[in-house]
Amino acid sequence: MDTERIYYEDSFAREFSAEVLSCEPVAVETGDAAAAADAKSVATGAAKLWRVVLNRTVFYPTSGGQPHDVGKLGAANVVDVLDEEDDVVHVVDAAIALATVSGVVDWERRFDHMQQHSGQHVLSAVFHAQSALPTVSFHLGANLCTIDLRGREPTAEILERAAMAANEIVYEDRAVIVKYGTPEELAAAGVRKTVERSGKLRAIEIEGVELQPCGGTHVRRTGQIGMIALRGFSRIRQDWRVEFVCGKRAERLARVDLAMLKSIAQRLNCSVAETVSAAERVVAERDVYFKSARASNEKLAAVDAQSALQTTEIGVDGIRVIVRVFRGVSPEYVQSFAREVAKADKTVALIARSECGHVFFMQHANVGRDMNALLAETFGQVGGKGGGSRDSAGGRLADPQRAAEALQHAVSRLGQSEQTG
Ligand SMILES: [Zn+2]
């Protein structure tokens, strides 16, 4: 017996009663051991989930891009709803007696799905009518919804025009009507999509906008969709993905956006209306300070490098090795310091920055060692990633706390290694 789908006729029905036709434990299909364990748990009545088929239901099963409903069947929670040919299968977390049961759907979730899904019909119809961009897929996500459009790239103007026209249809509060007919009858009535199924089909008409075969749940009038807001746009393979939200989601996001803007304005010490110009000013100032700081850093690094060269003894092999783990200075300073040191004859710089674990090994060419090999060997010992050339190599430690250890290791290897030429 087919499950009577109450939502086909009345998508606003939330409560119902029905006969329980079957209630079977869910079999686990992954591996013999799991199946055996499941068989055992079924035998002892310890199954976790059951599959329930009713003679009628208001629960919508996952299909056509719209997620399933959740809710209650008697005392059991409905955690999933599956569309299996003519049956709607309710996956519940407790066994249900084969008798009459009352059920209720989580209306908050269902109504949200109805707003998003109905909004998608409107948006897809508008893109098709205005710009000949058909919708090839629809996804109703937990936060955002998307449609993928096929054809030429929609410009910003096309997107804005579509959003405005879609919202016009909302304001016009057009009727959303369920229709039935054979594929031929629906095609004659103007259904765009070709349908492979035969027999009597269900279609949704948005008065004066479109007629589409669809088994989903919809609002009664377009006014119930609420605002349709486009949120993003990107290329997905050969198609164009448009992100959008409708109704309560759009309203919630508008509040989130404003809170975010207010928070930014507060940080910039300006009004919400002034955030763009204030942000531009802050970025311009930052760029000026950044340039000036970089120049100062380079000068400071050069002075510090000279001081380090003067206070570091030359080793027995005639090579001067300057080892430093810096903290509280910029990465640019560290690199400049290493570069400056390595300009001196017969000098090696083994430098790290402890905050982030950046490491620089540099030498004057006449030292004749291989900094890249030394870095690779050191990272092999203490962990890290990087590379470079014979005279200059750099990278990042896996654990910045091991900076001193890494440099000590490099110093000892340097003492042992032979000149490479
Ligand atoms: Zn639909």
Side-chain angles (χ1 to χ4, degrees), residues 117 121 204 214 216 218:
H117 178 76
H121 274 270
I204 297 302
C214 185
H218 310 84

Side-chain angles (χ1 to χ4, degrees), residues 25 47 71 74 175-176 217 266 295 316 346 348 350 357 362 369 404-405:
V176 180
T217 58
Q266 201 179 14
V316 283
K346 292 274 181 186
V348 176
L350 303 177
M362 295 186 192
R369 304 295 175 85
E405 183 192 339

Side-chain angles (χ1 to χ4, degrees), residues 10 29-30 47 62 72-73 81 129 139 145 222 226 234 277 316 327 348 371 419-420:
D10 182 5
E29 290 171 3
T30 49
T62 300
K72 287 266 189 185
L73 271 184
V81 188
H139 176 70
C145 305
T222 56
S234 58
S277 56
V316 283
R327 172 173 279 283
V348 176
M371 295 295 111
Q419 285 190 214
T420 56

Side-chain angles (χ1 to χ4, degrees), residues 213-235:
C214 185
T217 58
H218 310 84
V219 296
R220 288 194 189 106
R221 303 192 69 86
T222 56
Q224 291 174 321
I225 294 168
M227 192 172 98
I228 300 173
L230 302 195
R231 298 288 301 186
F233 173 71
S234 58
R235 170 147 215 169

Side-chain angles (χ1 to χ4, degrees), residues 60 64 66 117-118 120-121 138 202 204 210 212-218:
Y60 182 77
Q66 182 179 333
H117 178 76
S118 304
Q120 180 258 315
H121 274 270
F138 164 53
R202 182 177 187 258
I204 297 302
E210 71 151 12
Q212 279 272 61
C214 185
T217 58
H218 310 84

Side-chain angles (χ1 to χ4, degrees), residues 199-264:
K200 210 172 162 198
L201 292 176
R202 182 177 187 258
I204 297 302
E205 180 183 9
I206 297 175
E207 204 177 16
V209 176
E210 71 151 12
L211 179 65
Q212 279 272 61
C214 185
T217 58
H218 310 84
V219 296
R220 288 194 189 106
R221 303 192 69 86
T222 56
Q224 291 174 321
I225 294 168
M227 192 172 98
I228 300 173
L230 302 195
R231 298 288 301 186
F233 173 71
S234 58
R235 170 147 215 169
I236 298 292
R237 291 176 293 278
Q238 83 264 40
D239 299 319
W240 308 102
R241 178 160 294 176
V242 176
E243 293 176 347
F244 68 97
V245 285
C246 302
K248 288 190 187 181
R249 291 192 189 194
E251 187 248 326
R252 193 167 52 235
L253 272 179
R255 276 186 282 115
V256 168
D257 286 351
L258 181 62
M260 202 156 58
L261 261 178
K262 279 183 174 170
S263 161
I264 294 168

